[in-house]
């Protein structure tokens, strides 16, 4: 989605990346086909504030024209009549006549009543069948009619950008129904003597603007991505130098000459991707240099597919190696992949192609994070499940009782736990607990609680109530996140069937004697651990009959939810257990689990699910 659906933040990131390429590898001026005659501070000090009388501008045009330039482009407008000197407009028109002068036109988004008709422009022919989405202007500002009629051509001087940084300039745009070239393009046409422009549309972004011998790759909207070279004072000569005759004619012979403004009070400065602010006229000069040197930046039609392929390759690499590799190797692989993407972007830029490797890099990092998180979660799950005992293995030689247990976390790891072990030759300790919360924090607190309970049970050898009181004090000491733990703890004498137990805010277990019906083993032992410090938990007792089983569970069973939002409930649990009065513990656990899954269907498990079932086989079996 980062690549296919280019949201504004992703587009901004792409432009920032392309700007970084330009800063890293700015265009080198391999030739100098352009000279800028600069109406700078020095010129304004000598000739007065802008706008100058038109006869002064006429002197400037004539001085340049006498040197034999390839074309002259005026990045200024003469919209209003000159009232300072009589005949000044005619003087400027006369200077422009026959001097290969291209006048600037400013496209605007409304129709100015002074210029009701579209401008005159060279014909533009297109080889494509589609109507290109060129920039559309409703009207224009241009020079006075008598000056305009004398010009050899007219070109757009718009350098406006939706961003504050100039990145793309319209080389062709529509003013009304007329396609008008940019100032730089029209200057090339006049210099080469071409009668028309041609747009070769090969579909997608494969569009070329041909003018004379030059073929310029443009976007389908008619824009050119400007490849900037650093600002260079050698491009400029002061207009005062030209007017005073101090500028050598060789400076302008066969050159593209642009006349523009850079006086500080004229506010015609533009920001570039290189982090510079340059006079607006220099943007046109840089476009002319690109055309002359055929140095362009292009974003191919299939760039998005290339970027998607890069992401796919990196993603496959991560899927194959991250789950099986050590963490430091995984991070080294991520660093190598990001470096490879960066290198691909740089190498492509060196050939003039723009690849947005930032989007694949971000997506690859997201894939890596997801895989690494899943790997860590799976490792945590294995560790958590490894902390739980395997009853069939550790009690394989026992004949006095049978025990089965199961835990299914709602996430990769969870807060439920169980434990069962012999505290001596004749007594079995069992506990089922549920830590508040879910996920990794709950699983860590679960591991702490389980370890403390086992340690206390093996040390104290007291009844379950006393054991939970000691555990409450120990667990409260290491509970910065204010978790609490519900727990059911029992101590079964495997010789006699005597069961001592205590319930600390846990789901009541269910007991069932052979030939009887299941019953809840109610006991108001006390609140969950870590709720009340110093609480004295009482123990309760029950004598198990031979063949009687006890099923301890967490609320992940009774509160399992189906698609309709209904809870599994205690009534359904009792209905499942009722025919299992004489069943083995593994059959009891399996039946409950199967019925819960049938009830929930495809609904995602919302809570950890734990079952522990123990059956006392009787005194005779214990004696064997």
């Amino acid at each position: 989605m980062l690549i296919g659906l280019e949201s504004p933040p992703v587009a901004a990131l792409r432009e920032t990346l392309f700007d970084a390429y330009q800063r890293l590898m700015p265009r080198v001026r391999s030739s100098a086909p352009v000279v800028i005659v600069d109406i700078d501070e020095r010129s304004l000090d000598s000739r007065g504030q802008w706008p100058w009388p038109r006869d002064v501008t006429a002197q400037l045009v004539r001085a340049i024209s006498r040197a034999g330039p390839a074309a002259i482009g005026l990045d200024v407008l003469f919209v209003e009549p000159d009232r300072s000197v009589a005949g000044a407009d005619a003087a400027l028109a006369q200077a422009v006549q026959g001097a290969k002068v291209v006048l600037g036109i400013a496209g605007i988004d409304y129709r100015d009543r002074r210029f009701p008709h579209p401008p005159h422009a060279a014909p533009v022919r297109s080889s494509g069948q589609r109507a290109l989405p060129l920039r559309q202007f409703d009207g224009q500002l241009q020079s006075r009619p008598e000056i305009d009629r004398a010009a050899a051509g007219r070109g757009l001087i718009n350098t406006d950008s939706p961003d504050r940084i100039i990145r793309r300039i319209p080389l062709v745009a529509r003013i009304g129904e007329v396609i008008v070239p940019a100032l730089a393009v029209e200057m090339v046409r006049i210099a080469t003597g071409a009668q028309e422009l041609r747009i070769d549309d090969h579909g997608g972004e494969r569009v070329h603007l041909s003018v004379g011998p030059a073929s310029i790759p443009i976007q389908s909207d008619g824009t050119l991505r400007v490849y900037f070279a650093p600002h260079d004072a050698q491009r400029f000569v002061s207009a005062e130098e030209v007017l005073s005759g101090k500028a050598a004619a060789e400076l302008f012979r066969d050159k593209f000459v642009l006349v523009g403004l850079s006086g500080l009070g004229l506010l015609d400065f533009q920001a570039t991707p290189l982090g510079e602010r340059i006079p607006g006229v220099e943007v046109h000069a840089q476009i002319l240099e690109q055309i002359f040197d055929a140095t362009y930046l292009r974003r191919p039609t299939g760039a998005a597919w290339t970027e998607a392929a890069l992401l796919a390759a990196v993603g496959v690499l991560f899927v194959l190696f991250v789950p099986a590799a050590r963490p430091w190797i995984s991070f080294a692989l991520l660093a190598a992949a990001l470096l490879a993407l960066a290198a691909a972007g740089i190498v492509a830029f060196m050939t003039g192609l723009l690849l947005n490797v930032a989007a694949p890099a971000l997506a690859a990092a997201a894939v890596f994070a997801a895989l690494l998180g899943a790997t860590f979660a799976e490792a945590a799950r294995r560790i958590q499940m490894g902390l739980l005992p395997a009853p069939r293995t550790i009690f394989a030689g026992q004949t006095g009782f049978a025990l089965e247990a199961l835990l299914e976390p709602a996430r990769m790891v969870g807060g439920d736990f169980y434990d069962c072990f012999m505290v001596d030759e004749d007594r079995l300790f069992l506990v089922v607990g549920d830590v508040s919360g879910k996920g990794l924090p709950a699983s860590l607190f679960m591991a702490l609680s389980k370890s403390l309970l086992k340690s206390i049970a093996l040390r104290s050898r007291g009844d379950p109530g006393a054991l939970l009181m000691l555990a409450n004090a120990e667990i409260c000491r290491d509970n910065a996140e204010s978790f609490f733990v519900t727990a059911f703890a029992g101590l079964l004498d495997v010789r006699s069937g005597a069961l001592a137990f205590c319930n600390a805010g846990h789901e009541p277990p269910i007991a069932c004697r052979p030939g009887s019906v299941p019953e809840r083993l109610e006991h108001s032992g006390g609140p969950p651990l870590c709720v009340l410090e110093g609480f004295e938990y009482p123990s309760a007792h029950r004598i198990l009959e031979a063949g009687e089983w006890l099923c301890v569970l967490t609320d992940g069973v009774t509160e399992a939810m189906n698609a309709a939002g209904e809870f599994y409930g205690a009534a359904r649990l009792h209905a499942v257990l009722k025919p299992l009065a004489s069943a083995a513990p593994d059959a009891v656990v399996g039946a409950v689990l199967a019925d819960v899954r049938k009830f929930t269907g495809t609904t995602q498990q919302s809570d950890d699910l734990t079952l522990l079932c123990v059956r006392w086989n009787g005194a005779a079996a214990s004696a064997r």
Side-chain angles (χ1 to χ4, degrees), residues 406 408 568 572 576 587-601 609 611:
L406 173 141
E408 285 193 351
Y568 183 79
R572 180 161 181 151
V576 172
V588 174
V589 170
V592 173
L593 179 63
D595 195 59
V596 170
R597 286 178 173 169
K598 179 182 177 181
F599 174 79
T600 57
L609 185 152
L611 290 162

Side-chain angles (χ1 to χ4, degrees), residues 95-117:
V96 168
Q97 185 74 45
K100 294 186 177 180
V101 172
V102 177
L103 294 179
I105 298 175
I108 55 177
D109 293 326
Y110 60 93
R111 289 191 177 183
D112 190 288
R113 59 183 176 79
R114 294 168 295 180
F115 307 104
H117 305 294

Side-chain angles (χ1 to χ4, degrees), residues 133-356:
L134 303 180
R135 175 74 163 91
Q136 179 74 51
F137 297 103
D138 291 331
Q140 82 278 357
L141 296 176
Q142 61 185 68
S143 296
R144 298 277 300 156
E146 60 185 302
I147 303 172
D148 181 73
R149 286 192 296 269
R154 298 141 203 91
L156 283 172
I157 60 174
N158 294 69
T159 57
D160 57 314
S161 171
D163 302 318
R164 289 177 294 179
I165 299 174
I166 297 296
R167 296 186 175 98
R168 290 190 287 187
I169 296 295
L171 287 198
V172 283
R174 285 191 177 89
I175 297 180
E177 297 300 319
V178 176
I179 296 179
V180 181
L183 180 67
V185 173
E186 184 67 357
M187 289 176 69
V188 173
R189 187 186 73 81
I190 295 301
T192 59
Q195 297 301 307
E196 65 179 22
L197 304 174
R198 189 176 73 254
I199 297 176
D200 296 315
D201 180 10
H202 304 288
E205 297 300 324
R206 296 178 301 162
V207 182
H208 284 75
L209 173 64
S210 295
V211 50
S215 179
I216 310 166
I218 58 175
Q219 302 294 120
S220 60
D221 61 358
T223 60
L224 170 76
R225 187 176 290 273
V226 186
Y227 188 5
F228 283 94
H231 169 70
D232 190 346
Q234 293 184 358
R235 291 190 179 99
F236 294 80
V237 60
S238 174
E240 178 58 26
E241 291 283 325
V242 180
L243 288 168
S244 63
K246 295 179 181 178
E250 288 74 14
L251 282 174
F252 308 117
R253 187 167 292 119
D254 298 325
K255 296 292 184 71
F256 296 103
V257 180
L258 285 161
V259 178
L261 311 166
S262 72
L264 293 178
L266 301 177
L267 302 177
D268 186 25
F269 283 81
Q270 305 291 345
T272 76
L274 303 186
E276 301 176 322
R277 290 186 63 82
I278 63 175
V281 66
E282 191 175 359
V283 177
H284 300 296
Q286 299 232 21
I287 294 172
L288 280 166
E289 288 174 359
Q290 283 188 251
I291 295 173
F292 192 85
D293 295 336
T295 307
Y296 302 109
L297 296 177
R298 301 179 300 279
R299 181 154 171 81
T301 303
W305 289 105
T306 301
E307 292 153 9
L310 289 173
L311 171 59
V314 173
V316 169
L317 187 68
F318 286 169
V319 169
L320 290 177
F321 292 101
V322 169
R326 295 178 181 273
W328 71 267
I329 296 178
S330 296
F331 281 104
L333 184 64
L334 172 64
L338 295 180
L339 285 173
L341 287 173
I346 291 172
V347 170
F349 185 82
M350 292 172 67
T351 65
L353 299 178
L354 293 171
L355 286 182
N356 180 17

Side-chain angles (χ1 to χ4, degrees), residues 229-568:
H231 169 70
D232 190 346
Q234 293 184 358
R235 291 190 179 99
F236 294 80
V237 60
S238 174
E240 178 58 26
E241 291 283 325
V242 180
L243 288 168
S244 63
K246 295 179 181 178
E250 288 74 14
L251 282 174
F252 308 117
R253 187 167 292 119
D254 298 325
K255 296 292 184 71
F256 296 103
V257 180
L258 285 161
V259 178
L261 311 166
S262 72
L264 293 178
L266 301 177
L267 302 177
D268 186 25
F269 283 81
Q270 305 291 345
T272 76
L274 303 186
E276 301 176 322
R277 290 186 63 82
I278 63 175
V281 66
E282 191 175 359
V283 177
H284 300 296
Q286 299 232 21
I287 294 172
L288 280 166
E289 288 174 359
Q290 283 188 251
I291 295 173
F292 192 85
D293 295 336
T295 307
Y296 302 109
L297 296 177
R298 301 179 300 279
R299 181 154 171 81
T301 303
W305 289 105
T306 301
E307 292 153 9
L310 289 173
L311 171 59
V314 173
V316 169
L317 187 68
F318 286 169
V319 169
L320 290 177
F321 292 101
V322 169
R326 295 178 181 273
W328 71 267
I329 296 178
S330 296
F331 281 104
L333 184 64
L334 172 64
L338 295 180
L339 285 173
L341 287 173
I346 291 172
V347 170
F349 185 82
M350 292 172 67
T351 65
L353 299 178
L354 293 171
L355 286 182
N356 180 17
V357 296
L362 282 177
V367 171
F368 176 84
L371 286 171
L372 194 64
T375 301
F376 283 155
E378 181 59 32
R381 179 186 178 93
R382 290 196 302 268
I383 292 172
Q384 178 183 12
M385 301 307 289
L387 292 174
L388 303 175
R392 295 185 184 185
T393 301
I394 62 176
F395 300 133
Q398 290 287 345
T399 58
F401 66 91
L403 191 148
E404 182 64 30
L406 173 141
L407 188 154
E408 285 193 351
R411 302 180 183 177
M412 293 298 288
V413 291
D416 279 13
F417 67 92
Y418 69 83
D419 207 350
C420 48
F421 52 87
M422 302 297 296
V423 298
D424 54 36
E425 292 184 357
D426 300 318
R427 290 186 302 167
L428 167 69
F429 177 80
L430 56 92
V431 62
V432 174
D434 184 359
V435 175
S436 59
K438 299 178 182 67
L440 188 59
S443 72
L444 294 174
F445 197 74
M446 174 278 295
L448 171 67
S449 303
K450 178 181 176 297
S451 298
L452 286 172
L453 279 165
K454 184 169 185 177
S455 175
I456 292 169
L458 291 173
R459 288 198 325 265
S460 69
R461 298 179 179 272
D463 61 35
L467 184 151
L468 290 183
M469 185 174 68
L470 292 172
N472 186 40
E474 291 289 337
I475 298 172
C476 283
R477 192 175 297 122
D478 298 301
N479 188 15
E481 298 297 325
S482 300
F483 286 111
F484 63 85
V485 186
T486 69
F488 177 90
L491 198 60
L492 175 65
D493 188 322
V494 299
R495 296 170 303 174
S496 63
L499 175 68
F501 61 92
C502 181
N503 191 329
H506 197 75
E507 184 80 10
I510 297 174
C512 187
R513 291 171 174 152
S516 184
V517 295
E519 59 179 304
R520 288 164 64 92
L521 202 60
E522 300 288 355
H523 174 236
S524 56
L529 306 180
C530 301
V531 172
L532 291 177
E533 293 190 37
F535 185 85
E536 296 186 4
Y537 289 91
S539 294
H541 299 83
R542 180 185 178 94
I543 302 298
L544 300 184
E545 294 184 2
E548 181 178 355
W549 52 254
L550 178 75
C551 183
V552 189
L553 60 146
T554 59
D555 58 8
V557 176
T558 54
E559 295 180 6
M561 190 178 296
N562 64 11
E566 301 168 330
F567 288 115
Y568 183 79

